[in-house]
Amino acid sequence: MNDSSGDAGPRTGVSDDKRSTVRPRRRSWLRVTGSVGPLGIATTVLWLSIIVLLPLAALTFNAFDDGWAGFWNAVTAPAALDALRVTVFVSVIVAVVNVILGTLIAWVLVRDDFPGKSIVNALIDLPFALPTIVASIVLLSLYGPQSPIDIHLNATQPGLVVALAFVTLPFVVRSVQPVLIEADREVEQAAASLGADNWTTFRRIVLPTLAPAVISGGGLAFARALGEYGSVVLIGGNIPRETQMASQYIQQQIEIDRPINAAAVSVALLVISFATLLVLRLFAERSVRKEVDAR
């Protein structure tokens, strides 16, 4: 006598164990992990939408109010291209200056002890707290027509570099400092014991460790300098094709009642900044993967 009760279920060719593993895979993208939960994630997304996404969407919508042709004409206008060229050029110079001097400052703050070190360390963050227009007034008083030290940088591109270097100073310093603090100095001592000089030790051992932080800080300084306005509004002079930054050009277009042109150039700056931050993000993820693989 055959007992068919154990075979009562339908034969689908897939065991219960397989079905139990297939279903979670199909719906894994719906699962929420972590300690915050769906409500916390929804709150985060809502807040970011209100603060970031909706304003950017409105800006983009205004930029294309006259269609793609109107947007392209606004961005490629000679005055707009000159302002973008000056902005990108000066921002690149500022990023390079920050990479070199910011790394040096971080090295001194971590590896050297001197009187007033805590004060200098606190001053690094001052540009974050100080209104940038105040920085422009101070720089104009120091390097303007009435300069007490007889250095006149008013309405020049070097003046723009100095102003932007001031507001972007903390980025490289604060990016490199933690890496230097956690760096293994025994490797450097071993290299020195094997006869390597200071430059060789720095180039072959220290610099590869610092490179991700240096590049990240330099990229953030570049992105910050692209949209800066307050620190350059006075010392820059706003001379078209020479010292007019894109932010000043945008304000000028608003003042002469050309909001579409202002929005178009703003979107161009936004695209450049977003591309920079995206590259930095991809570079950081690649560096993390390399560290994981090395372990």
Side-chain angles (χ1 to χ4, degrees):
M1 180 176 181
N2 294 332
D3 186 6
S4 60
S5 60
D7 299 329
R11 297 182 179 274
T12 60
V14 180
S15 64
D16 293 339
D17 293 338
K18 290 185 178 180
R19 286 198 299 269
S20 62
T21 57
V22 169
R23 288 177 182 175
R25 286 182 184 174
R26 291 177 180 175
R27 299 181 181 179
S28 60
W29 63 276
L30 294 174
R31 292 188 300 176
V32 176
T33 60
S35 60
V36 178
L39 180 60
I41 295 177
T43 303
T44 302
V45 173
L46 177 61
W47 181 247
L48 289 177
S49 299
I50 295 175
I51 298 299
V52 180
L53 296 181
L54 289 179
L56 294 181
L59 175 66
T60 305
F61 179 80
N62 291 334
F64 287 91
D65 197 30
D66 288 341
W68 171 257
F71 171 83
W72 184 253
N73 291 334
V75 172
T76 58
L81 288 177
D82 289 334
L84 290 172
R85 175 184 56 80
V86 171
T87 301
V88 173
F89 173 74
V90 173
S91 298
V92 169
I93 298 299
V94 169
V96 173
V97 171
N98 271 286
V99 163
I100 298 174
L101 296 183
T103 304
L104 176 61
I105 293 173
W107 183 279
V108 171
L109 291 176
V110 173
R111 296 295 178 87
D112 296 331
D113 290 323
F114 53 91
K117 177 179 177 179
S118 59
I119 297 177
V120 174
N121 201 15
L123 288 175
I124 299 298
D125 295 325
L126 185 61
F128 283 151
L130 187 69
T132 54
I133 187 65
V134 176
S136 187
I137 295 174
V138 172
L139 293 174
L140 183 64
S141 301
L142 185 60
Y143 301 117
Q146 307 298 327
S147 173
I149 58 177
D150 199 27
I151 297 179
H152 306 283
L153 300 178
N154 183 41
T156 63
Q157 290 188 1
L160 296 177
V161 172
V162 172
L164 294 176
F166 174 84
V167 299
T168 59
L169 171 66
F171 289 102
V172 174
V173 177
R174 295 312 186 201
S175 296
V176 173
Q177 263 186 309
V179 180
L180 277 175
I181 293 174
E182 297 179 0
D184 187 2
R185 301 190 63 176
E186 294 182 357
V187 180
E188 301 175 35
Q189 295 172 358
S193 65
L194 294 175
D197 56 18
N198 292 335
W199 170 245
T200 301
T201 302
F202 178 80
R203 180 172 56 88
R204 301 294 296 273
I205 297 176
V206 179
L207 187 59
T209 304
L210 297 182
V214 171
I215 294 175
S216 176
L220 291 175
F222 171 77
R224 176 68 178 86
L226 284 176
E228 176 58 25
Y229 175 78
S231 63
V232 301
V233 65
L234 297 179
I235 195 171
N238 197 20
I239 302 176
R241 296 184 297 276
E242 295 183 14
T243 62
Q244 186 180 61
M245 299 284 287
S247 57
Q248 295 174 300
Y249 175 82
I250 292 170
Q251 184 196 26
Q252 183 186 67
Q253 295 302 301
I254 294 176
E255 290 177 348
I256 63 178
D257 197 22
R258 293 180 179 176
I260 296 178
N261 292 0
V265 176
S266 299
V267 170
L269 283 180
L270 175 64
V271 170
I272 298 174
S273 299
F274 181 78
T276 302
L277 297 177
L278 180 61
V279 170
L280 291 178
R281 180 64 179 176
L282 296 176
F283 179 80
E285 292 179 352
R286 180 182 177 185
S287 300
V288 171
R289 286 197 299 268
K290 284 185 177 181
E291 292 180 2
V292 173
D293 295 339
R295 293 175 184 175

Short mmCIF file of all heavy atoms in Angstrom, two decimals, residues 235-293:
data_model
loop_
_atom_site.label_atom_id
_atom_site.label_comp_id
_atom_site.label_asym_id
_atom_site.label_seq_id
_atom_site.Cartn_x
_atom_site.Cartn_y
_atom_site.Cartn_z
N ILE A 235 38.09 92.71 -2.73
CA ILE A 235 39.47 92.73 -3.20
C ILE A 235 39.58 92.33 -4.66
O ILE A 235 40.55 92.66 -5.34
CB ILE A 235 40.34 91.80 -2.32
CG1 ILE A 235 41.82 92.09 -2.57
CG2 ILE A 235 40.02 90.34 -2.59
CD1 ILE A 235 42.75 91.38 -1.60
N GLY A 236 38.58 91.61 -5.18
CA GLY A 236 38.65 91.15 -6.56
C GLY A 236 38.49 92.24 -7.59
O GLY A 236 39.08 92.18 -8.67
N GLY A 237 37.69 93.23 -7.29
CA GLY A 237 37.49 94.33 -8.23
C GLY A 237 36.41 94.09 -9.25
O GLY A 237 35.95 95.03 -9.90
N ASN A 238 36.00 92.84 -9.48
CA ASN A 238 34.92 92.51 -10.42
C ASN A 238 35.17 93.09 -11.81
O ASN A 238 34.29 93.69 -12.45
CB ASN A 238 33.58 93.02 -9.88
CG ASN A 238 32.39 92.37 -10.57
OD1 ASN A 238 32.51 91.32 -11.18
ND2 ASN A 238 31.24 93.02 -10.49
N ILE A 239 36.38 92.91 -12.31
CA ILE A 239 36.74 93.39 -13.64
C ILE A 239 36.46 92.28 -14.65
O ILE A 239 37.04 91.19 -14.56
CB ILE A 239 38.23 93.79 -13.71
CG1 ILE A 239 38.53 94.86 -12.66
CG2 ILE A 239 38.59 94.29 -15.10
CD1 ILE A 239 40.00 95.23 -12.58
N PRO A 240 35.57 92.52 -15.62
CA PRO A 240 35.26 91.47 -16.60
C PRO A 240 36.51 91.00 -17.34
O PRO A 240 37.39 91.80 -17.67
CB PRO A 240 34.27 92.15 -17.55
CG PRO A 240 33.64 93.24 -16.72
CD PRO A 240 34.74 93.72 -15.80
N ARG A 241 36.56 89.69 -17.58
CA ARG A 241 37.63 89.02 -18.30
C ARG A 241 38.96 89.00 -17.54
O ARG A 241 39.94 88.46 -18.04
CB ARG A 241 37.86 89.62 -19.69
CG ARG A 241 36.67 89.45 -20.61
CD ARG A 241 36.97 89.97 -22.00
NE ARG A 241 37.25 91.41 -21.98
CZ ARG A 241 36.31 92.34 -22.01
NH1 ARG A 241 35.03 92.00 -22.07
NH2 ARG A 241 36.62 93.62 -21.99
N GLU A 242 39.02 89.60 -16.36
CA GLU A 242 40.26 89.62 -15.59
C GLU A 242 40.08 89.08 -14.18
O GLU A 242 40.73 88.11 -13.78
CB GLU A 242 40.85 91.03 -15.55
CG GLU A 242 41.30 91.55 -16.92
CD GLU A 242 41.95 92.92 -16.82
OE1 GLU A 242 42.29 93.34 -15.69
OE2 GLU A 242 42.11 93.57 -17.86
N THR A 243 39.19 89.70 -13.41
CA THR A 243 39.01 89.28 -12.01
C THR A 243 37.55 89.01 -11.67
O THR A 243 37.24 88.81 -10.49
CB THR A 243 39.55 90.35 -11.05
OG1 THR A 243 38.82 91.57 -11.22
CG2 THR A 243 41.03 90.61 -11.29
N GLN A 244 36.68 89.00 -12.64
CA GLN A 244 35.27 88.73 -12.35
C GLN A 244 35.05 87.24 -12.19
O GLN A 244 35.20 86.46 -13.12
CB GLN A 244 34.37 89.27 -13.46
CG GLN A 244 32.88 89.16 -13.13
CD GLN A 244 31.99 89.70 -14.24
OE1 GLN A 244 32.02 89.20 -15.37
NE2 GLN A 244 31.23 90.74 -13.93
N MET A 245 34.67 86.84 -10.98
CA MET A 245 34.36 85.44 -10.70
C MET A 245 32.95 85.12 -11.16
O MET A 245 32.12 86.01 -11.37
CB MET A 245 34.51 85.17 -9.20
CG MET A 245 35.90 85.42 -8.65
SD MET A 245 37.06 84.10 -9.06
CE MET A 245 36.48 82.81 -7.98
N ALA A 246 32.68 83.84 -11.29
CA ALA A 246 31.36 83.42 -11.76
C ALA A 246 30.26 83.86 -10.79
O ALA A 246 29.17 84.23 -11.21
CB ALA A 246 31.33 81.90 -11.94
N SER A 247 30.54 83.83 -9.49
CA SER A 247 29.54 84.27 -8.52
C SER A 247 29.21 85.74 -8.68
O SER A 247 28.05 86.16 -8.54
CB SER A 247 30.05 84.00 -7.10
OG SER A 247 31.29 84.65 -6.89
N GLN A 248 30.21 86.56 -9.01
CA GLN A 248 29.96 87.98 -9.24
C GLN A 248 29.20 88.20 -10.55
O GLN A 248 28.35 89.09 -10.64
CB GLN A 248 31.29 88.74 -9.26
CG GLN A 248 32.01 88.72 -7.92
CD GLN A 248 33.38 89.34 -8.00
OE1 GLN A 248 34.25 88.87 -8.75
NE2 GLN A 248 33.60 90.40 -7.24
N TYR A 249 29.52 87.39 -11.54
CA TYR A 249 28.77 87.48 -12.80
C TYR A 249 27.31 87.12 -12.59
O TYR A 249 26.41 87.76 -13.16
CB TYR A 249 29.41 86.55 -13.83
CG TYR A 249 28.66 86.49 -15.14
CD1 TYR A 249 28.83 87.47 -16.12
CD2 TYR A 249 27.77 85.44 -15.40
CE1 TYR A 249 28.14 87.42 -17.32
CE2 TYR A 249 27.08 85.38 -16.60
CZ TYR A 249 27.27 86.36 -17.55
OH TYR A 249 26.57 86.31 -18.74
N ILE A 250 27.05 86.12 -11.77
CA ILE A 250 25.67 85.72 -11.48
C ILE A 250 24.91 86.86 -10.81
O ILE A 250 23.77 87.17 -11.17
CB ILE A 250 25.67 84.46 -10.60
CG1 ILE A 250 26.19 83.26 -11.41
CG2 ILE A 250 24.27 84.16 -10.07
CD1 ILE A 250 26.45 82.03 -10.56
N GLN A 251 25.55 87.50 -9.82
CA GLN A 251 24.89 88.63 -9.17
C GLN A 251 24.64 89.77 -10.16
O GLN A 251 23.58 90.41 -10.13
CB GLN A 251 25.74 89.14 -8.01
CG GLN A 251 25.06 90.26 -7.23
CD GLN A 251 26.02 91.02 -6.35
OE1 GLN A 251 27.22 91.07 -6.63
NE2 GLN A 251 25.51 91.61 -5.28
N GLN A 252 25.58 90.00 -11.05
CA GLN A 252 25.41 91.05 -12.05
C GLN A 252 24.23 90.76 -12.95
O GLN A 252 23.44 91.67 -13.28
CB GLN A 252 26.70 91.17 -12.88
CG GLN A 252 26.66 92.28 -13.92
CD GLN A 252 27.90 92.25 -14.79
OE1 GLN A 252 28.11 91.32 -15.57
NE2 GLN A 252 28.75 93.26 -14.63
N GLN A 253 24.07 89.53 -13.36
CA GLN A 253 22.94 89.17 -14.23
C GLN A 253 21.61 89.33 -13.51
O GLN A 253 20.61 89.73 -14.11
CB GLN A 253 23.10 87.72 -14.71
CG GLN A 253 24.30 87.50 -15.60
CD GLN A 253 24.29 88.39 -16.84
OE1 GLN A 253 23.37 88.33 -17.64
NE2 GLN A 253 25.32 89.20 -16.97
N ILE A 254 21.58 89.06 -12.23
CA ILE A 254 20.35 89.27 -11.46
C ILE A 254 20.03 90.75 -11.34
O ILE A 254 18.87 91.17 -11.46
CB ILE A 254 20.48 88.62 -10.07
CG1 ILE A 254 20.58 87.09 -10.21
CG2 ILE A 254 19.30 88.99 -9.17
CD1 ILE A 254 20.81 86.38 -8.91
N GLU A 255 21.04 91.57 -11.15
CA GLU A 255 20.82 93.00 -10.99
C GLU A 255 20.31 93.65 -12.27
O GLU A 255 19.57 94.64 -12.21
CB GLU A 255 22.12 93.67 -10.55
CG GLU A 255 22.53 93.33 -9.12
CD GLU A 255 23.86 93.94 -8.74
OE1 GLU A 255 24.56 94.44 -9.67
OE2 GLU A 255 24.21 93.91 -7.55
N ILE A 256 20.69 93.12 -13.43
CA ILE A 256 20.21 93.68 -14.70
C ILE A 256 19.01 92.92 -15.23
O ILE A 256 18.67 93.02 -16.41
CB ILE A 256 21.34 93.71 -15.74
CG1 ILE A 256 21.82 92.29 -16.08
CG2 ILE A 256 22.50 94.57 -15.26
CD1 ILE A 256 22.90 92.25 -17.15
N ASP A 257 18.36 92.15 -14.35
CA ASP A 257 17.11 91.45 -14.66
C ASP A 257 17.29 90.40 -15.76
O ASP A 257 16.51 90.35 -16.72
CB ASP A 257 16.02 92.47 -15.04
CG ASP A 257 14.62 91.84 -14.96
OD1 ASP A 257 14.47 90.84 -14.24
OD2 ASP A 257 13.70 92.36 -15.62
N ARG A 258 18.30 89.56 -15.60
CA ARG A 258 18.49 88.41 -16.48
C ARG A 258 18.62 87.14 -15.64
O ARG A 258 19.69 86.52 -15.57
CB ARG A 258 19.74 88.59 -17.36
CG ARG A 258 19.60 89.73 -18.37
CD ARG A 258 20.86 89.85 -19.21
NE ARG A 258 20.74 90.92 -20.19
CZ ARG A 258 21.73 91.29 -21.00
NH1 ARG A 258 22.91 90.65 -20.93
NH2 ARG A 258 21.55 92.27 -21.87
N PRO A 259 17.54 86.76 -14.98
CA PRO A 259 17.63 85.61 -14.07
C PRO A 259 17.93 84.30 -14.77
O PRO A 259 18.54 83.39 -14.17
CB PRO A 259 16.25 85.59 -13.40
CG PRO A 259 15.34 86.27 -14.38
CD PRO A 259 16.18 87.32 -15.04
N ILE A 260 17.51 84.16 -16.03
CA ILE A 260 17.79 82.91 -16.75
C ILE A 260 19.29 82.74 -16.98
O ILE A 260 19.84 81.65 -16.81
CB ILE A 260 17.01 82.88 -18.08
CG1 ILE A 260 15.51 82.88 -17.81
CG2 ILE A 260 17.41 81.67 -18.91
CD1 ILE A 260 14.67 82.90 -19.07
N ASN A 261 19.97 83.82 -17.35
CA ASN A 261 21.42 83.76 -17.52
C ASN A 261 22.11 83.41 -16.20
O ASN A 261 23.06 82.61 -16.17
CB ASN A 261 21.94 85.09 -18.05
CG ASN A 261 21.49 85.36 -19.47
OD1 ASN A 261 20.79 84.54 -20.07
ND2 ASN A 261 21.86 86.49 -20.01
N ALA A 262 21.63 84.03 -15.12
CA ALA A 262 22.22 83.74 -13.80
C ALA A 262 22.01 82.28 -13.42
O ALA A 262 22.93 81.61 -12.92
CB ALA A 262 21.60 84.66 -12.76
N ALA A 263 20.81 81.76 -13.68
CA ALA A 263 20.53 80.36 -13.34
C ALA A 263 21.36 79.42 -14.20
O ALA A 263 21.84 78.38 -13.72
CB ALA A 263 19.05 80.08 -13.52
N ALA A 264 21.55 79.76 -15.47
CA ALA A 264 22.32 78.89 -16.37
C ALA A 264 23.78 78.77 -15.91
O ALA A 264 24.34 77.67 -15.86
CB ALA A 264 22.25 79.42 -17.79
N VAL A 265 24.40 79.90 -15.58
CA VAL A 265 25.79 79.86 -15.10
C VAL A 265 25.86 79.16 -13.74
O VAL A 265 26.83 78.44 -13.46
CB VAL A 265 26.36 81.29 -15.02
CG1 VAL A 265 27.78 81.28 -14.43
CG2 VAL A 265 26.38 81.93 -16.40
N SER A 266 24.83 79.33 -12.92
CA SER A 266 24.79 78.62 -11.64
C SER A 266 24.76 77.11 -11.85
O SER A 266 25.43 76.36 -11.14
CB SER A 266 23.58 79.07 -10.83
OG SER A 266 23.62 80.45 -10.56
N VAL A 267 23.98 76.66 -12.82
CA VAL A 267 23.92 75.23 -13.12
C VAL A 267 25.28 74.74 -13.63
O VAL A 267 25.72 73.63 -13.30
CB VAL A 267 22.81 74.94 -14.14
CG1 VAL A 267 22.90 73.51 -14.66
CG2 VAL A 267 21.45 75.18 -13.51
N ALA A 268 25.95 75.55 -14.43
CA ALA A 268 27.29 75.17 -14.92
C ALA A 268 28.25 74.99 -13.75
O ALA A 268 29.02 74.01 -13.70
CB ALA A 268 27.81 76.22 -15.88
N LEU A 269 28.22 75.91 -12.79
CA LEU A 269 29.06 75.77 -11.60
C LEU A 269 28.67 74.53 -10.80
O LEU A 269 29.53 73.82 -10.27
CB LEU A 269 28.93 77.02 -10.71
CG LEU A 269 29.69 78.27 -11.13
CD1 LEU A 269 29.42 79.39 -10.14
CD2 LEU A 269 31.17 78.00 -11.26
N LEU A 270 27.36 74.29 -10.73
CA LEU A 270 26.88 73.12 -10.00
C LEU A 270 27.39 71.84 -10.63
O LEU A 270 27.81 70.91 -9.92
CB LEU A 270 25.36 73.13 -9.97
CG LEU A 270 24.67 71.92 -9.35
CD1 LEU A 270 25.01 71.83 -7.87
CD2 LEU A 270 23.16 72.00 -9.54
N VAL A 271 27.37 71.76 -11.94
CA VAL A 271 27.85 70.56 -12.63
C VAL A 271 29.34 70.34 -12.38
O VAL A 271 29.79 69.22 -12.10
CB VAL A 271 27.56 70.67 -14.14
CG1 VAL A 271 28.25 69.55 -14.90
CG2 VAL A 271 26.06 70.62 -14.39
N ILE A 272 30.13 71.41 -12.44
CA ILE A 272 31.57 71.29 -12.20
C ILE A 272 31.83 70.83 -10.76
O ILE A 272 32.65 69.94 -10.51
CB ILE A 272 32.28 72.62 -12.48
CG1 ILE A 272 32.11 73.02 -13.94
CG2 ILE A 272 33.75 72.53 -12.13
CD1 ILE A 272 32.65 74.40 -14.28
N SER A 273 31.13 71.43 -9.80
CA SER A 273 31.32 71.05 -8.40
C SER A 273 30.89 69.61 -8.15
O SER A 273 31.59 68.85 -7.46
CB SER A 273 30.52 72.00 -7.50
OG SER A 273 30.96 73.33 -7.64
N PHE A 274 29.74 69.23 -8.71
CA PHE A 274 29.26 67.86 -8.50
C PHE A 274 30.20 66.84 -9.13
O PHE A 274 30.46 65.79 -8.54
CB PHE A 274 27.86 67.71 -9.09
CG PHE A 274 27.27 66.34 -8.91
CD1 PHE A 274 26.74 65.96 -7.70
CD2 PHE A 274 27.26 65.42 -9.96
CE1 PHE A 274 26.21 64.68 -7.51
CE2 PHE A 274 26.73 64.15 -9.78
CZ PHE A 274 26.20 63.79 -8.56
N ALA A 275 30.72 67.15 -10.31
CA ALA A 275 31.67 66.23 -10.95
C ALA A 275 32.93 66.09 -10.10
O ALA A 275 33.47 64.98 -9.95
CB ALA A 275 32.02 66.74 -12.34
N THR A 276 33.39 67.20 -9.53
CA THR A 276 34.57 67.14 -8.66
C THR A 276 34.32 66.27 -7.44
O THR A 276 35.13 65.40 -7.09
CB THR A 276 34.96 68.55 -8.21
OG1 THR A 276 35.22 69.37 -9.36
CG2 THR A 276 36.20 68.52 -7.32
N LEU A 277 33.18 66.47 -6.78
CA LEU A 277 32.86 65.69 -5.59
C LEU A 277 32.64 64.22 -5.93
O LEU A 277 33.00 63.33 -5.14
CB LEU A 277 31.62 66.27 -4.91
CG LEU A 277 31.76 67.70 -4.38
CD1 LEU A 277 30.45 68.18 -3.79
CD2 LEU A 277 32.87 67.78 -3.34
N LEU A 278 32.06 63.95 -7.10
CA LEU A 278 31.85 62.56 -7.51
C LEU A 278 33.18 61.85 -7.73
O LEU A 278 33.37 60.70 -7.31
CB LEU A 278 31.00 62.51 -8.77
CG LEU A 278 30.69 61.12 -9.34
CD1 LEU A 278 29.92 60.29 -8.32
CD2 LEU A 278 29.92 61.22 -10.65
N VAL A 279 34.11 62.53 -8.39
CA VAL A 279 35.44 61.94 -8.61
C VAL A 279 36.13 61.68 -7.28
O VAL A 279 36.76 60.63 -7.08
CB VAL A 279 36.28 62.87 -9.50
CG1 VAL A 279 37.74 62.40 -9.55
CG2 VAL A 279 35.72 62.91 -10.92
N LEU A 280 36.02 62.63 -6.35
CA LEU A 280 36.61 62.43 -5.03
C LEU A 280 35.99 61.23 -4.32
O LEU A 280 36.69 60.45 -3.66
CB LEU A 280 36.44 63.69 -4.18
CG LEU A 280 37.23 64.92 -4.60
CD1 LEU A 280 36.90 66.09 -3.69
CD2 LEU A 280 38.73 64.64 -4.59
N ARG A 281 34.67 61.09 -4.45
CA ARG A 281 34.00 59.95 -3.82
C ARG A 281 34.47 58.63 -4.40
O ARG A 281 34.76 57.68 -3.67
CB ARG A 281 32.49 60.10 -4.00
CG ARG A 281 31.66 58.99 -3.39
CD ARG A 281 31.80 58.96 -1.89
NE ARG A 281 31.00 57.91 -1.31
CZ ARG A 281 31.00 57.61 -0.01
NH1 ARG A 281 31.77 58.29 0.81
NH2 ARG A 281 30.24 56.64 0.46
N LEU A 282 34.56 58.55 -5.72
CA LEU A 282 35.02 57.32 -6.36
C LEU A 282 36.47 57.02 -5.99
O LEU A 282 36.84 55.86 -5.77
CB LEU A 282 34.87 57.44 -7.88
CG LEU A 282 33.43 57.57 -8.40
CD1 LEU A 282 33.43 57.78 -9.91
CD2 LEU A 282 32.60 56.35 -8.03
N PHE A 283 37.27 58.06 -5.91
CA PHE A 283 38.68 57.87 -5.53
C PHE A 283 38.78 57.36 -4.10
O PHE A 283 39.60 56.49 -3.80
CB PHE A 283 39.44 59.18 -5.69
CG PHE A 283 40.88 59.10 -5.31
CD1 PHE A 283 41.82 58.56 -6.19
CD2 PHE A 283 41.32 59.56 -4.07
CE1 PHE A 283 43.15 58.48 -5.84
CE2 PHE A 283 42.65 59.48 -3.71
CZ PHE A 283 43.57 58.94 -4.59
N ALA A 284 37.95 57.91 -3.20
CA ALA A 284 37.98 57.46 -1.81
C ALA A 284 37.55 56.00 -1.69
O ALA A 284 38.16 55.22 -0.94
CB ALA A 284 37.07 58.36 -0.96
N GLU A 285 36.51 55.62 -2.42
CA GLU A 285 36.06 54.22 -2.37
C GLU A 285 37.13 53.29 -2.93
O GLU A 285 37.34 52.19 -2.40
CB GLU A 285 34.76 54.07 -3.16
CG GLU A 285 33.57 54.77 -2.52
CD GLU A 285 32.32 54.62 -3.34
OE1 GLU A 285 32.40 54.10 -4.49
OE2 GLU A 285 31.24 55.02 -2.86
N ARG A 286 37.81 53.72 -3.97
CA ARG A 286 38.88 52.90 -4.53
C ARG A 286 40.03 52.74 -3.53
O ARG A 286 40.59 51.65 -3.39
CB ARG A 286 39.39 53.53 -5.82
CG ARG A 286 40.51 52.76 -6.50
CD ARG A 286 40.99 53.48 -7.74
NE ARG A 286 42.10 52.79 -8.36
CZ ARG A 286 42.77 53.25 -9.41
NH1 ARG A 286 42.43 54.42 -9.94
NH2 ARG A 286 43.78 52.57 -9.92
N SER A 287 40.35 53.82 -2.82
CA SER A 287 41.42 53.74 -1.81
C SER A 287 41.05 52.80 -0.67
O SER A 287 41.88 52.03 -0.18
CB SER A 287 41.71 55.14 -1.26
OG SER A 287 42.14 56.02 -2.29
N VAL A 288 39.78 52.84 -0.26
CA VAL A 288 39.31 51.95 0.81
C VAL A 288 39.40 50.50 0.36
O VAL A 288 39.83 49.61 1.12
CB VAL A 288 37.89 52.32 1.23
CG1 VAL A 288 37.32 51.27 2.17
CG2 VAL A 288 37.87 53.68 1.89
N ARG A 289 39.00 50.22 -0.89
CA ARG A 289 39.08 48.85 -1.39
C ARG A 289 40.51 48.36 -1.44
O ARG A 289 40.80 47.19 -1.13
CB ARG A 289 38.45 48.77 -2.78
CG ARG A 289 36.93 48.84 -2.78
CD ARG A 289 36.37 48.35 -4.09
NE ARG A 289 36.82 49.17 -5.20
CZ ARG A 289 36.18 50.23 -5.67
NH1 ARG A 289 35.03 50.59 -5.12
NH2 ARG A 289 36.65 50.90 -6.70
N LYS A 290 41.43 49.23 -1.82
CA LYS A 290 42.84 48.84 -1.85
C LYS A 290 43.35 48.51 -0.46
O LYS A 290 44.11 47.55 -0.26
CB LYS A 290 43.69 49.96 -2.47
CG LYS A 290 43.58 50.06 -3.97
CD LYS A 290 44.53 51.11 -4.51
CE LYS A 290 44.47 51.16 -6.04
NZ LYS A 290 45.41 52.18 -6.58
N GLU A 291 42.94 49.32 0.54
CA GLU A 291 43.36 49.04 1.91
C GLU A 291 42.80 47.72 2.42
O GLU A 291 43.51 46.95 3.09
CB GLU A 291 42.92 50.19 2.83
CG GLU A 291 43.65 51.50 2.57
CD GLU A 291 43.18 52.60 3.51
OE1 GLU A 291 42.32 52.30 4.36
OE2 GLU A 291 43.70 53.73 3.39
N VAL A 292 41.56 47.44 2.08
CA VAL A 292 40.94 46.17 2.50
C VAL A 292 41.64 45.00 1.84
O VAL A 292 41.91 43.97 2.48
CB VAL A 292 39.44 46.19 2.17
CG1 VAL A 292 38.83 44.81 2.45
CG2 VAL A 292 38.74 47.24 3.01
N ASP A 293 41.94 45.12 0.55
CA ASP A 293 42.62 44.04 -0.16
C ASP A 293 44.03 43.82 0.38
O ASP A 293 44.54 42.69 0.42
CB ASP A 293 42.69 44.32 -1.66
CG ASP A 293 41.30 44.34 -2.30
OD1 ASP A 293 40.37 43.75 -1.70
OD2 ASP A 293 41.14 44.95 -3.38
#
